[in-house]
Amino acid sequence: MGKQGRREYLRAIYQRYQKASRSAKGAILNEFCASTGYHRKHAIRLLNGPPPERRPARARQPRRPTYSREVVSVKFSKLGLTFSLSAADFAKGLQPGSKRRGVAFRTGLQA
């Protein structure tokens, strides 16, 4: 049984479990565990928890844009800033801005 099937089965059996007597709950729980493959304790938590409802799918966050070295240098020069790579990132050949740790930002002052 797939994930979707287990959710549907939980929705179908939830109300019956809530209204059942203590002895009937044991039988329903045994049936639920046998058909879904859940451990008994997990099944109890699902059946005693909040009612299963359809949750809306979460919207994925778009990726942040990746800028080339030329674009970064133009933007920094317009702001009057300079940028430099650390020695480790320069040796690895990483583009500036690809990792925050490796990029050192300075104002227009030259050191």
Side-chain angles (χ1 to χ4, degrees), residues 82-104:
T82 60
F83 73 98
S84 64
L85 290 175
S86 69
D89 287 336
F90 184 75
K92 291 179 186 174
L94 295 175
Q95 290 184 356
S98 63
K99 289 193 176 190
R100 286 186 172 216
R101 283 183 281 121
V103 180

Side-chain angles (χ1 to χ4, degrees), residues 1-2 8 22 34-35 37 45 52 55 61 67 70 75 79 81 89 93-94 96 99 108-109:
M1 182 181 289
E8 290 173 10
R22 185 177 178 102
S35 59
R45 287 184 181 129
R55 290 180 285 157
Q61 287 185 330
Y67 298 109
E70 293 80 23
K75 286 188 178 271
L79 294 173
L81 302 174
D89 287 336
L94 295 175
K99 289 193 176 190
L109 302 174

Side-chain angles (χ1 to χ4, degrees), residues 4-90:
Q4 185 67 22
R6 286 188 296 232
R7 280 193 208 130
E8 290 173 10
Y9 187 56
L10 175 62
R11 281 191 212 107
I13 206 170
Y14 183 81
Q15 289 300 324
R16 187 169 60 125
Y17 183 81
Q18 295 296 317
K19 294 177 184 177
S21 65
R22 185 177 178 102
S23 60
K25 281 186 178 183
I28 294 171
L29 188 60
N30 288 337
E31 173 193 334
F32 185 70
C33 290
S35 59
T36 59
Y38 287 144
H39 287 279
R40 191 172 179 86
K41 195 68 173 179
H42 182 64
I44 291 171
R45 287 184 181 129
L46 287 176
L47 291 168
N48 285 332
E53 49 192 46
R54 188 131 181 119
R55 290 180 285 157
R58 289 177 48 190
R60 294 183 65 175
Q61 287 185 330
R63 280 182 89 166
R64 289 185 173 180
T66 306
Y67 298 109
S68 65
R69 168 175 255 144
E70 293 80 23
V71 173
V72 172
S73 63
V74 168
K75 286 188 178 271
F76 272 69
S77 63
K78 285 186 179 179
L79 294 173
L81 302 174
T82 60
F83 73 98
S84 64
L85 290 175
S86 69
D89 287 336
F90 184 75

